[in-house]
Amino acid sequence: MSVHKKKVKRVTTHVIQSLKDQGEKISMLTAYDYSMAKIVDAAKVDIILVGDSASNVMAGHETTLPITLDQMIYHATSVVRAVKYSLVVVDLPFGSYQGNSKKALASTIRIMKESGGHAIKVEGGREVKDSIQRILKAGVPVMGHLGLTPQSIYKFGTYTVRAKEEVEAERLKEDAKLLEKIGCFAIILEKIPADLAKEVTDSVSIPVIGIGAGPHVDGQVLVLHDMLGITKDFKPRFLRRYLNLFDDIKDAVCHYIEDVKKEEFPNKEEQY
Ligand code: KIV
């Protein structure tokens, strides 16, 4: 049992900061719907991310770009309805905040009012500074996201490790300091070298949460469907699968089909 679970009724951004300050690692997972969010919240994960990875996982798109603000609000609303304990962070989707801070604030206000989420996440550093500052001024906590930022996939061209070269690593370190300075409550670092992630984590006072960023960060995040083995073809090196639910669910469905075909379901006890 972790230190904070004994005394925390509900996770807030202040609790997240206190975890870093006390040296306790932060746990974070995605959820996009009521049923999964209920399970993850019951397990007392610190942060639930309503990620725009819903675009891939729930809708089957190749990238995160197509998901809309309305769709993110639908997912976030379903998650918030289930959650009693965890902090719920909602991704601002592609096109809802870049290059226009007024639009960024309007998108954020819709998420906060309509879904009841507790904070938002945006991808990028200096290029989205104005949007982040306007959102923060309205009193909404912001989580940053640096390294591999999937909304910029067509700029990068691939999903390979980011910031391996000096110039990009320096820029990332500067961006992390900038996000801290303007008031973000935490930063996600995605798919960057572990040594660089450590350097960034040691250089800022706010929590740094990694995905494919090694062990020397303040916490870890994974996509729930990946760690449960529901998605089968996505196999990055950083992913640990805790279950193989694709095969388990398929086996159960095959069993059900067999029972129906053989007229073994329903039996006497399963009818009125
Ligand atoms: O959308 C998402 O799931 C994310 C995580 C991979 C951090 O941004």
Side-chain angles (χ1 to χ4, degrees):
M1 173 68 77
S2 65
V3 185
H4 78 284
K5 275 183 194 161
K6 284 185 217 150
K7 40 187 188 200
V8 169
K9 276 204 170 144
R10 187 146 207 159
V11 180
T12 62
T13 55
H14 299 275
V15 171
I16 297 301
Q17 180 64 52
S18 75
L19 293 178
K20 170 157 182 152
D21 297 342
Q22 292 164 24
E24 179 174 332
K25 297 285 183 184
I26 298 159
S27 60
M28 176 166 170
L29 283 170
T30 60
Y32 318 109
D33 66 80
Y34 177 83
S35 304
M36 286 293 194
K38 205 155 175 82
I39 298 170
V40 174
D41 184 65
K44 294 204 161 179
V45 75
D46 296 313
I47 305 175
I48 294 180
L49 173 66
V50 184
D52 60 358
S53 50
S55 181
N56 313 102
V57 176
M58 302 305 281
H61 291 297
E62 215 172 284
T63 72
T64 58
L65 276 67
I67 199 161
T68 65
L69 184 60
D70 283 338
Q71 288 165 343
M72 286 304 297
I73 291 171
Y74 168 77
H75 287 299
T77 307
S78 309
V79 167
V80 168
R81 256 183 235 125
V83 170
K84 292 192 166 59
Y85 176 79
S86 312
L87 180 78
V88 179
V89 179
V90 184
D91 260 336
L92 276 184
F94 177 69
S96 72
Y97 64 98
Q98 293 96 336
N100 183 338
S101 65
K102 283 191 181 159
K103 186 171 180 184
L105 179 58
S107 305
T108 300
I109 287 175
R110 278 204 60 204
I111 288 181
M112 301 301 285
K113 269 186 182 292
E114 294 176 40
S115 79
H118 310 135
I120 57 103
K121 173 165 87 60
V122 300
E123 294 185 5
R126 65 200 74 183
E127 65 279 14
V128 288
K129 177 175 165 237
D130 292 348
S131 292
I132 294 176
Q133 281 183 310
R134 198 178 274 264
I135 295 165
L136 287 166
K137 256 194 203 159
V140 178
V142 177
M143 176 181 271
H145 184 154
L146 300 171
L148 176 65
T149 46
Q151 291 179 11
S152 309
I153 184 58
Y154 292 117
K155 185 172 108 189
F156 298 143
T158 77
Y159 286 102
T160 51
V161 181
R162 304 304 310 168
K164 282 204 317 209
E165 307 302 329
E166 185 71 23
V167 177
E168 200 186 337
E170 278 310 313
R171 190 181 162 90
L172 187 145
K173 285 191 266 184
E174 286 169 13
D175 278 343
K177 292 295 284 177
L178 176 72
L179 293 180
E180 175 193 37
K181 187 170 159 220
I182 63 178
C184 287
F185 78 93
I187 302 171
I188 298 274
L189 290 181
E190 180 164 353
K191 226 172 173 184
I192 64 166
D195 287 347
L196 175 61
K198 177 174 176 5
E199 221 184 303
V200 172
T201 305
D202 293 345
S203 76
V204 294
S205 57
I206 57 174
V208 173
I209 299 171
I211 173 163
H216 311 295
V217 283
D218 300 308
Q220 299 291 334
V221 55
L222 284 175
V223 168
L224 182 68
H225 291 62
D226 295 338
M227 61 84 84
L228 294 178
I230 296 174
T231 50
K232 214 174 158 62
D233 301 330
F234 183 61
K235 295 178 195 154
R237 189 202 297 191
F238 67 77
L239 175 61
R240 183 177 295 179
R241 287 200 201 284
Y242 288 81
L243 286 173
N244 188 5
L245 278 190
F246 184 98
D247 289 334
D248 290 349
I249 294 172
K250 186 172 158 229
D251 286 350
V253 172
C254 287
H255 197 163
Y256 165 76
I257 294 169
E258 214 179 290
D259 285 352
V260 171
K261 301 283 180 191
K262 287 188 188 156
E263 298 182 39
E264 286 175 5
F265 174 80
N267 63 24
K268 270 198 182 133
E269 285 76 45
E270 291 161 336
Q271 57 186 276
Y272 299 99

